[in-house]
Structure formats: structure tokens, C-alpha cells
């Protein structure tokens, strides 16, 4: 045997052997389960013996909801996750704007804020709020859920949205009492600003895959279900991403298996993708097209989830229904 784990507590989920203290591994496969005495009898010269010292031994974990590519892209953004107040949030944005100006950058990009956790102001900032922090650089701030984003006026001007009118716009957005855009965009439109960022090439995508799968594996994950298609730059990232996954798998860059949840917004795009990558398409043992993902509505925190009776703390919010029944 290559390796024997013993002196542990191992739940097998096998009714015949519900709990054992040891197991043997050969060629990466569990070959035998049983008592310490039974398993240690399989030891030979070169067998690695691992004393679990009475600890539990678990299978590797599989995460059912991750966005690998988006997670990698967010590494370039200001992390607002830990903000406990609007004042702290505003201070970090101001500091980031100063850094971007000094470096000659174009956008102030942030992610992870959650107004529900703030101690002072519990609402998503409007464009007017953000204008007070910074008005000369465009600001794009993604909420923790990823279903909505806040923008300042400069960002809306660059996106060509400042002339939109309530009741006439085709975008999922909010408006102020004076009829001008409030600055908040929902669902697919929440990522309009990301279209202004350059789309990574295959090599950069591969480096993202290498880093993130290693990060996840270090946490004990052996596989993930990841939603990546059409999420970085809709319509442009599909083939470079698929090529990157294929090459990363072939070159041994992936530290765990990725079950890809393929997200699309149009039926024709699903059919076209399925012709080239039918369900179950694999790149070696590290990548598989597992499912098609459709998003019917939004999230509770962004008030874009569709509720039958609306929101108690936001009576005007009805949610965003992305697809019709048809």
C-alpha cells in the first residue's frame, strides 16, 4: 500500500462499515477500510503510515456555489467586505480614489460591501452619495451578493445612462425623486461597467485558474461547482475561458476539479454552446461542463429578488424578474 491512515474516526457512509479507524490507499484510491490491526497488516516497505491521533478524517469537501473567474477578477478591486459603517466605507473609497489618481488609473473599483452590516446608514449609496466622495473618477462598487452595483455620476455618464427615464428605460435601474438615475443597477445590468475593463486573454485566465484552484485546495476543497461563463465580460469571455480551462487542465495547473455551471441569457446562445460543449464535456479529469445556469431573479440583500408581497423595509421594491414564463 502507498499510504495507511490509522487510529482515527472515519465515517464511511457504508452501512456495512459505518465507522472504522483505519484505511489503506494505493494509486490514489481507497482500497480497504477496517480496524487498525487489519489495515496495518497491509503495510510493506515504503508504505507511509499516518497516525490520525484519534481525530476525525473527512472526505475532501466540494463547494456547490463558487465564481472562480469573478473571484480572481475581484482580487484587483478594493475589498469592502469588512466595513462596519458607511463612514468607514466612504473613507476607504476616498483613499482608493487618491491611489487611482496618483497611479494614473481610470476607475475606482470596489466589491463586497453590505449595507445591512453598517452601524450608521443602512442603505446602498446613491450616485449623489458617491459624488460627495469622488466626482472626477468613475466609481463602480459591487454589493456582496453581486446582484447590484452602485455608481457615481461620472460612471453613469461614461455608460451613457444619465439620460435614462423611469418607465422608458430598458435597464434594471433606480431613479431619484427628480427623475434622474439614482446610480444603482441590478442583475445583468449591474456589470455594465465591467465591459469598460479589458477582457483578459487566455494566458491571464490560466493564471487566474492556477491561483484560485490552489487557494481553494488549501482550504480542503477537492472540487467546486463554479459559475464563470459570461460573467467577466458577457459575450467576450466564453471561448478564451474555455480554452484557458482546457490548457490549464492539460498543463497540470489545476489543483482541484471544476464542474462548470454555464450561464446564458439567450436560448440561442445555449444551443450554440451545447453543440460544441455538450453536457459532460471534459478536459482531462479536472474540468467538466456540468449544467446550464439560469438566474430567474435577484437577491434579497439587493432587493432584486421577486417577492409576492414586496419588501417590508422597502415598500417600493418589487424585485427584478429576468425571464418571462416563455
Amino acid at each position: 500500500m502507498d499510504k495507511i491512515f490509522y487510529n482515527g474516526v472515519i465515517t464511511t457512509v457504508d452501512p456495512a462499515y459505518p465507522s472504522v479507524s483505519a484505511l489503506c490507499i494505493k494509486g490514489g484510491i481507497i482500497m480497504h477500510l477496517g480496524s487498525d490491526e487489519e489495515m496495518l497488516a497491509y503495510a510493506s516497505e515504503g508504505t507511509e503510515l499516518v497516525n490520525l491521533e484519534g481525530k476525525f478524517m473527512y472526505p475532501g469537501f466540494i463547494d456547490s456555489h463558487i465564481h472562480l473567474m469573478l473571484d480572481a477578477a475581484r482580487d484587483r478591486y478594493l475589498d469592502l467586505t469588512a466595513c462596519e459603517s458607511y463612514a468607514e466605507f466612504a473613507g476607504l473609497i476616498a483613499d482608493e480614489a487618491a491611489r487611482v489618481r496618483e497611479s494614473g488609473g481610470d476607475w475606482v473599483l470596489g466589491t463586497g460591501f453590505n449595507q445591512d452590516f453598517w452601524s450608521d446608514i443602512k442603505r446602498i449609496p446613491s450616485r449623489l452619495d458617491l459624488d460627495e466622495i469622488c466626482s472626477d473618477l468613475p466609481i463602480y462598487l459591487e454589493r456582496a451578493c453581486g446582484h447590484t452595483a452602485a455608481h457615481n455620476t461620472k460612471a453613469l455618464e461614461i455608460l451613457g445612462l444619465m439620460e435614462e427615464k423611469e418607465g422608458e428605460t430598458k435597464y434594471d435601474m433606480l431613479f431619484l425623486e427628480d427623475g434622474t438615475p439614482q446610480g444603482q443597477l441590478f442583475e445583468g445590468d449591474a456589470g455594465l461597467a465591467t465591459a469598460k475593463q479589458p477582457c483578459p486573454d487566455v494566458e491571464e485566465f490560466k493564471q487566474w485558474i492556477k491561483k484560485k484552484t490552489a487557494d481553494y485546495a488549501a482550504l480542503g476543497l477537492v472540487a467546486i461547482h463554479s459559475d464563470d461563463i459570461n460573467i467577466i465580460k458577457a459575450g467576450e469571455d466564453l471561448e478564451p475561458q474555455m480554452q484557458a480551462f482546457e490548457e490549464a487542465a492539460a498543463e497540470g495547473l489545476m489543483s482541484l476539479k471544476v464542474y462548470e455551471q454555464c450561464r446564458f441569457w439567450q436560448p440561442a446562445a445555449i444551443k450554440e454552446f451545447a453543440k460544441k460543449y455538450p453536457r459532460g464535456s471534459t478536459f482531462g479529469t479536472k474540468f467538466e461542463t456540468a449544467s446550464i445556469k439560469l438566474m430567474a431573479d435577484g437577491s434579497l440583500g439587493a432587493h432584486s429578488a421577486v417577492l409576492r408581497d414586496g419588501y417590508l423595509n422597502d415598500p417600493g421594491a418589487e424585485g427584478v424578474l429576468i425571464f418571462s414564463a416563455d
Side-chain angles (χ1 to χ4, degrees):
M1 291 295 159
D2 297 334
K3 187 179 293 188
I4 297 176
F5 292 88
Y6 68 100
N7 188 26
V9 180
I10 306 169
T11 300
T12 68
V13 203
D14 182 345
Y17 301 91
S19 182
V20 298
S21 62
L23 58 80
C24 297
I25 293 177
K26 185 175 181 63
I29 297 173
I30 297 174
M31 303 297 292
H32 304 286
L33 299 164
S35 67
D36 291 353
E37 182 180 5
E38 291 171 328
M39 297 303 101
L40 289 172
Y42 287 104
S44 59
E45 185 178 353
T47 298
E48 180 183 355
L49 302 179
V50 181
N51 186 347
L52 295 173
E53 301 178 346
K55 298 186 179 78
F56 286 96
M57 183 177 186
Y58 295 100
F61 292 103
I62 299 176
D63 194 298
S64 64
H65 187 164
I66 271 183
H67 302 274
L68 182 153
M69 293 295 188
L70 190 57
D71 193 9
R74 284 169 174 160
D75 285 347
R76 304 174 297 178
Y77 291 13
L78 174 65
D79 187 359
L80 300 165
T81 307
C83 290
E84 296 181 351
S85 68
Y86 176 77
E88 180 184 359
F89 165 90
L92 288 175
I93 298 299
D95 291 344
E96 178 67 4
R99 186 197 68 78
V100 172
R101 283 191 205 95
E102 186 176 343
S103 65
D106 299 324
W107 282 73
V108 177
L109 305 170
T111 187
F113 78 89
N114 189 339
Q115 80 286 353
D116 293 328
F117 295 157
W118 294 347
S119 60
D120 45 8
I121 301 174
K122 293 183 178 293
R123 61 176 172 80
I124 296 175
S126 71
R127 68 176 175 87
L128 301 182
D129 296 322
L130 298 180
D131 285 349
E132 291 183 3
I133 303 172
C134 171
S135 60
D136 61 310
L137 292 170
I139 296 178
Y140 166 81
L141 305 176
E142 180 186 62
R143 192 183 178 278
C145 62
H147 288 258
T148 190
H151 307 72
N152 66 351
T153 300
K154 187 74 170 179
L156 293 184
E157 288 174 348
I158 291 174
L159 297 175
L161 299 178
M162 276 304 294
E163 302 304 317
E164 293 297 312
K165 303 298 181 184
E166 189 168 10
E168 299 176 7
T169 183
K170 66 178 181 179
Y171 298 101
D172 289 323
M173 58 193 298
L174 294 180
F175 292 84
L176 298 170
E177 290 184 2
D178 65 3
T180 61
Q182 182 260 15
Q184 193 176 348
L185 293 170
F186 297 99
E187 304 312 316
D189 295 331
L192 288 175
T194 62
K196 297 296 181 181
Q197 313 304 318
C199 187
D201 59 17
V202 172
E203 288 304 316
E204 186 172 4
F205 275 136
K206 283 167 60 176
Q207 291 308 308
W208 287 7
I209 294 167
K210 178 181 178 180
K211 181 180 185 303
K212 285 304 170 183
T213 57
D215 288 348
Y216 301 150
L219 297 174
L221 297 179
V222 296
I224 60 174
H225 289 260
S226 187
D227 171 13
D228 302 303
I229 299 298
N230 284 320
I231 201 168
I232 298 299
K233 199 167 184 180
E236 294 187 29
D237 64 347
L238 192 156
E239 281 305 326
Q241 275 195 35
M242 294 300 288
Q243 183 180 341
F245 275 121
E246 184 172 13
E247 293 183 10
E251 296 169 18
L253 302 181
M254 299 176 68
S255 299
L256 45 68
K257 182 166 184 176
V258 175
Y259 293 95
E260 186 62 33
Q261 299 174 335
C262 309
R263 187 201 300 190
F264 294 93
W265 303 100
Q266 299 295 333
I270 297 175
K271 293 178 181 178
E272 183 179 350
F273 180 83
K275 287 180 182 178
K276 188 171 184 179
Y277 304 105
R279 181 179 179 182
S281 295
T282 59
F283 300 144
T285 60
K286 295 294 189 180
F287 182 90
E288 180 176 339
T289 54
S291 59
I292 295 294
K293 180 171 181 177
L294 300 177
M295 306 210 5
D297 61 349
S299 76
L300 291 169
H303 292 187
S304 57
V306 177
L307 301 185
R308 183 178 293 109
D309 298 319
Y311 290 79
L312 292 178
N313 62 345
D314 191 358
E318 299 178 350
V320 177
L321 191 61
I322 299 172
F323 295 109
S324 67
D326 290 339

